[in-house]
Amino acid sequence: MGNAPKMSTNSIPKAFISHASEDKDRFVLGFARKLRERGVDAWLDRWEIKPGDSLVEKIFEEGIKNADSFLVVVSSNSILKRWVREELDSGVVRKIEKTCRLIPVVIDACEVPQALKHLKWVRIKDLNNYPAELSEIVSAIFGTSDRPPIGTP
């Protein structure tokens, strides 16, 4: 697992998904459901924030603070959003502190933010069919590898 952040005390990794609301129906909801089906506790605002809740407390003190992985859905919509930028700033700090893995998920042709350019991203070419990309993301979240073992010399 190398320098990967330690997972939560229980064995189910938590993943915060930062995204623009415009991308929720076209990609994020289905993506979050697929993550949950693969054993990842995906944190999504629609499921976690109820009327009357503090957005700052729920997003920053619960969602981001407790995440083992921070997934930012990068799109022509999200790169313009102040909320996504603030969430990304928190995710970058957690990555620098080695308390969280930061995974950019690029879903359309857009300029990737400077804070993410040095990281390997996952590009989703078909928003309706992306099993290989999903497997790559889930593997990164769990800290596993598909590298074959070394045989006996």
Side-chain angles (χ1 to χ4, degrees):
M1 206 150 64
N3 289 345
K6 291 182 182 166
M7 264 190 257
S8 303
T9 48
N10 62 16
S11 60
I12 300 173
K14 296 182 181 305
F16 180 85
I17 304 174
S18 178
H19 64 284
S21 55
E22 292 86 348
D23 297 327
K24 197 179 302 283
D25 288 330
R26 77 176 182 137
F27 175 73
V28 176
L29 278 169
F31 176 61
R33 282 191 187 101
K34 286 176 177 22
L35 287 173
R36 293 185 70 81
E37 288 166 6
R38 301 281 293 269
V40 176
D41 184 4
W43 194 101
L44 195 60
D45 56 356
R46 180 175 288 180
W47 300 332
E48 307 294 339
I49 302 175
K50 305 297 180 220
D53 285 348
S54 162
L55 296 176
V56 170
E57 186 173 320
K58 292 298 266 186
I59 291 170
F60 293 92
E61 294 299 321
E62 186 180 297
I64 295 173
K65 186 175 182 180
N66 296 328
D68 302 299
S69 295
F70 182 103
L71 285 73
V72 57
V73 177
V74 182
S75 71
S76 50
N77 295 315
S78 70
I79 61 171
L80 303 174
K81 299 292 183 171
R82 290 187 313 216
W83 273 91
V84 172
R85 181 86 240 171
E86 290 294 326
E87 292 168 359
L88 179 57
D89 287 351
S90 290
V92 168
V93 169
R94 295 219 41 232
K95 181 204 175 301
I96 290 169
E97 293 173 342
K98 297 191 183 311
T99 57
C100 178
R101 177 180 291 278
L102 178 56
I103 304 172
V105 180
V106 181
I107 65 168
D108 64 22
C110 63
E111 179 70 22
V112 173
Q114 192 66 38
L116 300 174
K117 286 191 175 183
H118 71 291
L119 298 174
K120 181 182 178 200
W121 339 314
V122 177
R123 185 175 296 278
I124 308 288
K125 296 173 192 79
D126 180 350
L127 300 188
N128 300 306
N129 187 26
Y130 48 92
E133 296 91 339
L134 180 65
S135 290
E136 185 178 8
I137 293 165
V138 170
S139 177
I141 290 170
F142 279 98
T144 58
S145 172
D146 59 358
R147 181 174 62 176
I150 297 174
T152 307

